[in-house]
């Protein structure tokens, strides 16, 4: 811990505490975790930018089907490479304390693969395929059926895609989302 | 014009007509918009028209604006369209009008964390907010704000401490990593039960066990009283020669010396303790033991009920929200399907597979539903007949198992009974040794003074002793075995019934619960019959050693044994049966052996295991005050046993367990257990005659009569109030008021539901309108572009012709 403390000033820690859902101790703990990903780099520069491949070694991210999207969404340079601050943001959003609306906002961006601010048919297809993994393939008609069902449930204005408002509405109704969209530090 | 102003206008005019307000609104938000829009439209591809909509624009604008919009969204329900270009203005405190004060700045800083922007920008924002000029708070407001700040800091600190105290954090994380949130919710439930028992034990320890051990009882001698009085009876009971048998057996059966310890009902005194506190001018203090003995169970029952309802209500609320959206099944599956906390490759693969299956099943279900409508009458009748048949079989199995327990109980009682009647024969001729024949054992003990190790000196009696122990435990072993085998049978049966997967879980759970609780009920009724026949007698007159002298202790012993048996079985199945199975599954290549060895963590079974024990604890805590403490230890140990089962023996289940649904399910089953366990206890308190020889209520008709008697000693005023509460003068108006409230909330809910439907409709209509307008607009643009082209071409042609003309 003492070693971690030396890398941050009190002011920085206060900033982090105010701007994330973590306490100071948790911030330091997060930094330890971050450091463990690439000790030599982070030991040098506490806010070093790690390439996406390094970040993806974090256990929960390694097996996550949306790992590259998560990195991209949280990366401040938008290419998937993350600094410690990006990592902290990520963990803060995934923590238990983050409210549903914040989680929903990020989930929406993660699921919006093509970045058109709508979760369209192609995005849904991508999500479903990633969910089922590379080994299990649903047939085309099944995927289509599923997409149609999802849109039927959630696409309130019938435009063939989910806008953020619609997405948020679903998330509000889904009690599972909060349980599952979460990574313990 | 600021955004807030226009917002108000928009709001106030909403009813007068959207067009009017909307137009103005639009003008304000997008000054010079028309021109710009038109240019945009000119440039834009007709297909991308939708991206120009204000709602989309708002999400696409710079991050700072987005962040701000987040806040606004939270502060007002007004939609995202309220974002405007003057956000930058609003961001900086407006010096002229509302100079923000410290508190507001602080609030805004606290809200930055919700913005979806990188940390760098957040820090900039924070710095800007901090450096902006702001008003100092004065007077009362200042105090209020300081209080808030302190409270906030305190909450953070407190949360930190609580987080540190949280039990089993890292095991939970480990389980979550491999099994996902559904299974963790089971372990959280286990922990919840542990804490519940801890609190109950605290109650019991503070108000029953401590007073009993610390305070000194006054000694009554029998000679001062009549021969038949409770004093004499109990004195004789307590001074009776304690059976000296194997200590280990005594401990697991709760008999012998154990019977006379604070573990059981029997030893608790029936007197009001009097003691002096030296510090307080020698004041005399009283502690009413019988009253405490009845109030403590009542208070823990109420506490448990409140805890269940509180935990269950949370789940129920979620369920209610969901039930309206049974519709949201697929969205839930797609967007909430992945557990982000999974961290092992293997579990991730299993999760992929599970989700794949779930999706298939869901689609399948839809098809089944469609098929159902197409199903011919004949096949339908056939299916129902099959279901009826299987339900009958289940019923028969349930009755049979109940009967089996009944037989086992009677058999063991009979055999033990004959054992003890033999004992009386033995008394006569003194030839051979019997287990409970105490005198002889004592004499043998004297014989072998140096036999330090217990059990060695009774080799020939050992097997008889073992046999007797087995007989004593026979009903419990029977129950536990039934609980192991019958659910498997149910599992096989249900596959013939063609239920939907979700239904299968509930139906199996229900049947297994019925099995467990009915076996418990049979046991209780057996004990009840036994008590009523052999129950109440003064120890002085008791010549038959088979008769119970303190039936409450007897009940306590039975339940105590049941808990111990259950724990032993859990332990044995986990480490001696399932562990080798898992080992076989992991290290053998044969498919058959693998099938035999592989086990998945089936949640319903494990949930039932712990709820069952909790039911026994509730049932027994009145008769054996130590039981909650044993329960606490039990849950603490069983956590590790179950964790072992989960992580070492089992592979993740191919069924997806939903964390949200399981919690309310657990709580409802637990509630069922609570009702079933409190029933018999309440009956015994209200109706049965307490034993004469032991316990706090010796000599009373019922336990409740003691409560009434105590109540009669309360001040008149207090009694009057309680009586008033019971009369119709109070009850009828209270009932009416409650009804009124009920109606009010019902009406409110109905109105809201109606409103939701209306708004949903409106949303759909708006969506259609939008679509329609966009189409029209794009068509128009296309037309316009064509016309332009034509005109251009025409003008080119004109130019050409004019050039040609001029050249001529």
């Amino acid at each position: 811990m003492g070693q971690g403390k030396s890398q941050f000033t009190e002011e920085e820690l206060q900033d982090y505490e105010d701007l994330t859902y973590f306490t100071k101790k948790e911030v330091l703990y997060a930094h330890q975790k971050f450091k463990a990903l690439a000790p030599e780099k982070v030991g040098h520069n506490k806010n070093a930018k790690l390439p996406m491949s390094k970040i993806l070694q974090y256990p929960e991210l390694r097996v996550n089907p949306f790992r590259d999207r998560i990195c991209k969404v949280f990366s401040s340079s938008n290419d998937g490479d993350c600094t410690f601050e990006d990592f902290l943001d990520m963990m803060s959003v995934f923590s238990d304390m983050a409210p549903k609306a914040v989680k929903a906002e990020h989930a929406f961006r993660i699921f919006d693969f093509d970045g058109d601010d709508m979760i369209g048919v192609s995005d849904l297809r991508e999500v479903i395929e990633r969910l089922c993994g590379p080994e299990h393939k649903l047939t085309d008609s099944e995927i289509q059926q599923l997409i149609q069902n999802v849109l039927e449930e959630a696409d309130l204005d019938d435009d063939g895609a989910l806008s953020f408002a619609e997405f948020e509405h679903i998330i509000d109704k889904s009690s599972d989302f909060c349980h599952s969209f979460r990574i313990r530090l | 014009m600021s955004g807030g102003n226009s917002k108000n206008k928009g709001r106030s005019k909403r009813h007068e007509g959207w067009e009017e307000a909307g137009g103005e609104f639009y003008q304000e938000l997008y000054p010079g918009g028309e021109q710009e829009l038109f240019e945009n439209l000119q440039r834009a591809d007709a297909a991308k028209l939708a991206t120009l909509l204000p709602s989309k624009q708002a999400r696409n604008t710079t991050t700072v604006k987005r962040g701000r919009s987040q806040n606004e969204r939270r502060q007002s329900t007004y939609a995202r369209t309220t974002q405007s270009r003057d956000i930058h203005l609003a961001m900086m405190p407006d010096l002229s009008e509302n100079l923000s004060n410290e508190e507001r700045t602080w609030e805004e800083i606290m809200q930055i964390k919700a913005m979806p922007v990188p940390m760098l920008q957040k820090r900039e924002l924070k710095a800007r907010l901090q450096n902006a000029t702001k008003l100092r708070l004065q007077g009362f407001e200042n105090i209020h704000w300081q209080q808030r700040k302190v409270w906030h800091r305190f909450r953070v600190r407190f949360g930190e401490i609580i987080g540190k105290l949280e039990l089993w954090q890292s095991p939970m994380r480990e389980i979550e990593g491999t099994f996902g949130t559904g299974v963790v919710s089971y372990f959280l439930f286990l922990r919840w039960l542990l804490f519940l028992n801890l609190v109950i034990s605290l109650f019991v320890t503070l108000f029953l066990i401590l007073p009993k051990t610390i305070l000194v009882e006054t000694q009554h001698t029998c000679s001062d009283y009549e021969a038949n009085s409770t004093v004499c009876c109990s004195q004789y009971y307590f001074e009776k020669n304690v059976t000296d048998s194997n200590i280990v057996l005594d401990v697991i059966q709760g008999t012998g010396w154990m019977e006379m310890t604070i573990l059981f009902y029997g030893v608790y005194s029936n007197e009001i303790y009097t003691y002096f506190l030296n510090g307080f001018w020698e004041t005399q203090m009283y502690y009413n033991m019988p009253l405490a003995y009845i109030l403590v169970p009542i208070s823990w029952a109420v506490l448990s009920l409140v805890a269940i309802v509180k935990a269950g209500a949370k789940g129920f609320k979620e369920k209610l929200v969901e039930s309206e959206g049974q519709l949201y099944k697929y969205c839930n599956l797609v967007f909430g399907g992945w557990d982000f906390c999974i961290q092992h490759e293997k579990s991730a693969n299993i999760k992929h597979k599970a989700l794949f299956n779930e999706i298939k099943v869901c689609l399948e279900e839809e098809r089944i539903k469609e098929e159902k409508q197409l199903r011919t009458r004949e096949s339908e009748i056939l299916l129902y007949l099959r279901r009826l048949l299987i339900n009958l079989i289940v019923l028969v199995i349930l009755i049979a198992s109940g009967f089996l327990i009944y037989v086992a109980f009677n058999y063991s009682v009979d055999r033990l009974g004959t054992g003890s009647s033999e004992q009386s024969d033995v008394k006569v001729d003194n030839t051979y040794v019997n287990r409970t024949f105490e005198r002889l054992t004592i004499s043998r003990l004297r014989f072998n003074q140096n036999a330090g190790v217990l059990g060695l000196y009774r080799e020939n009696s050992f097997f008889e002793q073992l046999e007797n122990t087995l007989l004593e435990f026979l009903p419990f072993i029977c129950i536990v075995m039934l609980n192991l085998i019958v659910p498997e049978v149910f599992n096989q049966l249900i596959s013939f019934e063609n239920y939907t997967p979700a239904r299968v879980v509930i139906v199996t759970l229900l049947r297994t619960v019925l099995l467990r609780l009915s076996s418990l009920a049979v046991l209780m009724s057996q004990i009840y019959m036994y008590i009523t026949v052999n129950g109440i007698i003064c120890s002085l007159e008791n010549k038959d050693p088979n008769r119970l002298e303190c039936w409450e202790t007897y009940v306590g012993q039975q339940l105590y044994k049941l808990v111990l048996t259950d724990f032993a079985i859990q332990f044995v199945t986990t480490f001696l049966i399932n562990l080798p199975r898992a080992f076989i599954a992991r290290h053998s290549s044969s498919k058959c052996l693998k099938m035999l060895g592989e086990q998945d963590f089936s949640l319903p079974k494990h949930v039932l295991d712990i709820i069952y024990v909790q039911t026994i604890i509730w049932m027994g805590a009145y008769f054996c005050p130590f039981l909650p403490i044993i329960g606490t230890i039990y849950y603490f140990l069983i956590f590790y046993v179950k964790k072992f089962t989960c992580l070492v023996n089992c592979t993740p289940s191919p069924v997806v367990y939903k964390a949200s649904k399981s919690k309310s399910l657990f709580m409802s089953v637990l509630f069922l257990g609570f009702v079933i366990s409190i029933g018999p206890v309440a009956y015994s308190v209200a109706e049965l005659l307490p034993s004469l020889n032991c316990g706090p209520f010796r000599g009373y008709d019922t336990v409740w009569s003691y409560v009434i008697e105590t109540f009669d000693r309360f001040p008149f005023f207090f009694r009057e109030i309680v009586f008033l509460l019971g009369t119709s003068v109070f009850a009828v108006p209270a009932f009416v008021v409650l009804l009124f409230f009920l109606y009010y909330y019902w009406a409110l809910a109905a109105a809201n539901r109606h409103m939701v439907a209306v708004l949903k409709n409106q949303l759909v209509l708006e969506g259609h309108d939008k679509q329609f307008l966009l189409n029209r607009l794009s068509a128009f643009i296309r037309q316009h572009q064509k016309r332009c082209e034509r005109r251009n071409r025409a003008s080119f042609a004109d130019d050409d012709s004019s050039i040609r003309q001029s050249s001529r």
Side-chain angles (χ1 to χ4, degrees), chain B residues 220-322:
Chain B
H220 299 282
T221 43
C222 184
S223 50
D224 300 346
Y225 295 86
E226 278 176 51
N228 241 349
S229 66
T230 52
V231 174
C232 288
C233 290
S234 55
Q235 198 182 7
Y236 188 77
Y237 172 68
F238 286 119
E239 283 169 1
K240 210 174 48 168
N241 259 333
V242 171
T243 324
D244 183 87
S245 53
N246 195 327
I247 283 189
V248 179
L249 287 180
D250 274 350
V251 168
I252 59 174
Q253 291 178 2
T255 50
W257 63 273
M258 285 280 276
E259 196 175 324
M260 296 297 167
T261 57
I262 46 169
L263 241 76
F264 296 108
Y265 172 93
V267 294
Y268 288 89
S269 161
N270 63 338
E271 69 174 43
I272 299 173
Y273 290 111
T274 317
Y275 57 99
F276 294 97
L277 277 185
N278 291 331
F280 293 96
W281 303 282
E282 310 275 309
T283 24
Q284 206 168 6
M285 309 283 273
Y286 298 101
Y287 192 83
N288 189 340
M289 195 64 192
L291 191 63
Y293 203 91
I294 186 67
L295 284 184
V296 165
I298 289 176
S299 50
W300 62 244
V302 170
L303 180 94
S304 311
L305 188 67
V306 168
I308 294 173
V309 168
K310 202 165 164 266
K314 221 192 270 167
F316 187 68
K317 223 191 275 168
E318 275 175 8
K319 214 172 171 184
L320 213 68
V321 169
E322 249 183 31

Side-chain angles (χ1 to χ4, degrees), chain B residues 131-147:
Chain B
N131 294 336
T133 29
K134 53 199 167 224
L135 284 176
R136 269 281 155 78
L137 282 173
Q138 305 271 327
F140 181 70
E141 276 183 332
N142 191 20
I143 294 168
H144 179 73
W145 181 54
Q146 292 297 345
Q147 263 177 359

